[in-house]
Amino acid sequence: MIQTEICDNMTRNAPKRIYIKTFGCQMNVYDSARMIDTLAPHGYVAANTALDADLVILNTCHIREKAAEKVYSELGTIRRLKAAKTRGGGQMIVAVAGCVAQAEGSEIMRRAPCVDLVVGPQSYHRLPDLVARALHAGNTQVLDTSFPAEPKFDFLPETSAPGGVGAFLTVQEGCDKFCSFCVVPYTRGAEYSRPVQQILDEARRLVSYGVREITLLGQNVNAYHGTGQDGREWRLGELIRALAELPGLLRIRYTTSHPRDVDEELIAAHRDVPQLMPFLHLPVQSGSDRVLARMNRRHTASEYRRIVERLRAARSDLALSTDLIVGHPGETDEDFQATLGLVNEVGFAQAYSFKYSPRPGTPAASAEDQVPGSVKTERLAALQLLLAKQQRDFNNACIGSILPVLLEKPGRHAGQLVGRSPYLQAVHISAATDMIGTIVPALIVQAGANSLAGSLAETEPR
Ligand code: SF4
């Protein structure tokens, strides 16, 4: 009751400005947008810089190396801005959200007294109340890193217009896989899938705002098992088919998937649903069965190969992207050669590759057979050489073909637009701005490491 009154007071006051700095993956980008949606009814509008803001939120990610240290360094800058603002008679609430907030919790408050509020990824629907408490708490810091029994999606307001042709839509959160190197099961909690109806409603709203491509998000998106309108449990393939029925939705993608959760229904969706793009991010992490077992990945290299074969049999133009880690504890030269072998065999259009680095609290972090840094550096360089060649070859092979390109926004040069190919490559093309939001056939005439250049083609793409 008290909290509601405080919230009402927030609404009655003049507009307040919010600045969110987002680190990490698309799921955090989605969460940041939803945080603004949550606070907008309480009088908050977006600010361009932290200095202009009454509320600064760092929406953090724990995946990369030294993630927490980067947050503390960022907080050093925010502390100085807050002090300057306070000296000028203003007020600034500083909040830390996301996975580092979940993992570090009260440690953040201890090390960074300028922080007023720490909120975990499953609690940000409570931001209006938490911010109100922080505003009235004086020097007391507010912490909410609980995993609430109620799913936050039931409490978030309707999505606002994302202001572009493409949008993210979180359908699933959390993970029960517990890979040896990963913090997600600890920071995001157990797997949760949103009900089908909620997702369809959000997708319909996005399309009404002009969105033409939706990327379905989840830490383990193809573990999706939400309740359908018929009361049954729907898997991702069935959800994709329902989304494809929405008029105006031209393209569907999903990320990040796990090989173990690629089921027949999903493979059939790749075969049957033209809106589902033939580009799949399917992390493999290693090509060695021994390392995959140490990673607790629950699949072997041959199982991964078989899944790729089945997907390609269903959709012959399917291209793949993947994640790879080199130097996981216990990885030998022979294991690493197996990774190179798998990459050579499968062939990736794109990939993210990293040196293993320990995340506190994960099983691999305490393993005794850590691989020396110099070995990891050497292996990563060799792997990235191969991956860069595969990406170059894939892009070069597009030259001379006609690809359907969804035009997204103006390019850097006058008269130029930038769009996306089915394979997520940026494509630069001369076209009128009123064509933004449409799919055009583009003859690809040039390929770079990360983008293509094309011209409008007269024939429809095959
Ligand atoms: S499946 Fe993905 S999110 Fe889940 S523990 Fe493994 S790497 Fe982390």
Side-chain angles (χ1 to χ4, degrees):
M1 182 59 141
I2 293 169
Q3 286 172 0
T4 309
E5 275 172 24
I6 294 170
C7 285
D8 289 346
N9 289 339
M10 282 167 63
T11 317
R12 277 198 295 275
N13 291 339
K16 298 213 172 239
R17 298 196 171 271
I18 175 172
Y19 178 81
I20 304 186
K21 181 155 185 178
T22 308
F23 301 80
C25 65
Q26 298 101 322
M27 295 200 64
N28 267 14
V29 174
Y30 176 89
D31 286 347
S32 292
R34 302 311 314 271
M35 286 179 200
I36 293 181
D37 291 343
T38 306
L39 287 159
H42 300 277
Y44 278 86
V45 294
N48 291 330
T49 66
L51 189 58
D52 293 335
D54 304 287
L55 169 61
V56 174
I57 301 179
L58 300 184
N59 191 12
T60 62
C61 167
H62 210 302
I63 293 290
R64 297 280 177 271
E65 198 175 1
K66 301 195 177 85
E69 288 317 307
K70 282 176 193 152
V71 172
Y72 289 119
S73 145
E74 190 70 32
L75 282 170
T77 310
I78 302 287
R79 176 177 55 80
R80 287 189 286 279
L81 294 179
K82 181 174 177 172
K85 188 145 189 176
T86 311
R87 276 197 303 277
Q91 189 180 16
M92 181 190 283
I93 296 290
V94 177
V96 180
C99 290
V100 175
Q102 187 68 41
E104 296 274 306
S106 44
E107 178 65 8
I108 294 177
M109 296 174 149
R110 193 186 65 75
R111 281 185 60 179
C114 73
V115 172
D116 302 285
L117 166 61
V118 174
V119 57
Q122 301 310 343
S123 307
Y124 69 74
H125 57 295
R126 296 174 176 165
L127 265 174
D129 277 350
L130 296 170
V131 171
R133 271 166 56 195
L135 272 168
H136 292 80
N139 289 329
T140 313
Q141 295 166 305
V142 178
L143 171 75
D144 188 345
T145 49
S146 57
F147 288 109
E150 78 278 2
K152 67 173 177 250
F153 295 102
D154 293 353
F155 293 85
L156 293 174
E158 289 188 353
T159 338
S160 57
V165 169
F168 298 125
L169 200 173
T170 294
V171 302
Q172 178 279 338
E173 272 200 303
C175 183
D176 295 339
K177 297 281 191 299
F178 290 93
C179 296
S180 63
F181 51 84
C182 181
V183 287
V184 165
Y186 311 97
T187 56
R188 292 272 176 165
E191 268 177 18
Y192 167 76
S193 296
R194 297 175 70 185
V196 170
Q197 192 58 55
Q198 214 179 66
I199 294 165
L200 292 178
D201 289 346
E202 189 168 329
R204 211 171 279 118
R205 212 159 28 246
L206 289 170
V207 172
S208 77
Y209 294 141
V211 166
R212 296 291 168 259
E213 173 175 309
I214 289 180
T215 303
L216 307 176
L217 298 179
Q219 264 93 25
N220 204 170
V221 70
N222 57 336
Y224 178 81
H225 58 278
T227 308
Q229 298 108 317
D230 50 9
R232 274 189 311 111
E233 196 172 85
W234 286 31
R235 301 281 303 168
L236 187 64
E238 202 168 1
L239 178 67
I240 287 169
R241 283 178 194 271
L243 285 163
E245 298 287 313
L246 295 182
L249 180 57
L250 307 179
R251 287 183 167 183
I252 301 169
R253 304 179 188 272
Y254 62 91
T255 196
T256 291
S257 44
H258 191 289
R260 207 182 155 91
D261 293 313
V262 176
D263 59 16
E264 280 308 323
E265 213 170 318
L266 189 56
I267 292 175
H270 276 283
R271 185 191 59 217
D272 302 335
V273 180
Q275 292 94 330
L276 183 57
M277 289 296 96
F279 184 63
L280 176 58
H281 183 67
L282 190 63
V284 64
Q285 309 296 3
S286 169
S288 153
D289 286 347
R290 219 180 56 83
V291 174
L292 287 168
R294 284 281 304 266
M295 287 177 162
N296 193 31
R297 287 290 292 173
R298 306 166 195 222
H299 64 82
T300 63
S302 333
E303 281 164 352
Y304 185 88
R305 286 185 185 93
R306 271 201 297 280
I307 291 163
V308 170
E309 271 166 27
R310 282 159 59 211
L311 282 160
R312 283 179 170 156
R315 180 93 203 225
S316 58
D317 59 345
L318 185 101
L320 288 158
S321 146
T322 197
D323 290 339
L324 291 148
I325 294 174
V326 300
H328 183 275
E331 185 190 74
T332 62
D333 277 340
E334 203 184 318
D335 294 321
F336 176 62
Q337 289 306 320
T339 297
L340 292 180
L342 181 134
V343 170
N344 261 315
E345 217 177 300
V346 173
F348 293 101
Q350 210 224 329
Y352 301 92
S353 50
F354 309 96
K355 288 189 245 181
Y356 168 77
S357 68
R359 297 289 172 278
T362 57
S366 54
E368 282 176 4
D369 47 356
Q370 300 286 333
V371 174
S374 57
V375 175
K376 288 194 258 189
T377 304
E378 218 172 278
R379 287 180 188 164
L380 186 63
L383 178 62
Q384 289 187 337
L385 207 65
L386 174 60
L387 292 169
K389 182 183 178 314
Q390 290 192 341
Q391 182 165 356
R392 239 182 2 254
D393 288 350
F394 182 80
N395 287 350
N396 285 337
C398 295
I399 296 176
S401 63
I402 295 175
L403 293 178
V405 172
L406 174 58
L407 297 172
E408 290 184 342
K409 57 184 181 188
R412 264 185 298 163
H413 305 294
Q416 188 191 57
L417 298 184
V418 186
R420 293 272 162 194
S421 77
Y423 307 109
L424 263 187
Q425 298 140 304
V427 183
H428 301 271
I429 194 167
S430 293
T433 44
D434 62 2
M435 295 176 85
I436 288 175
T438 63
I439 294 180
V440 298
L443 173 65
I444 304 305
V445 293
Q446 221 181 319
N450 299 305
S451 65
L452 306 174
S455 58
L456 279 180
E458 282 173 13
T459 41
E460 286 301 311
R462 274 175 295 162

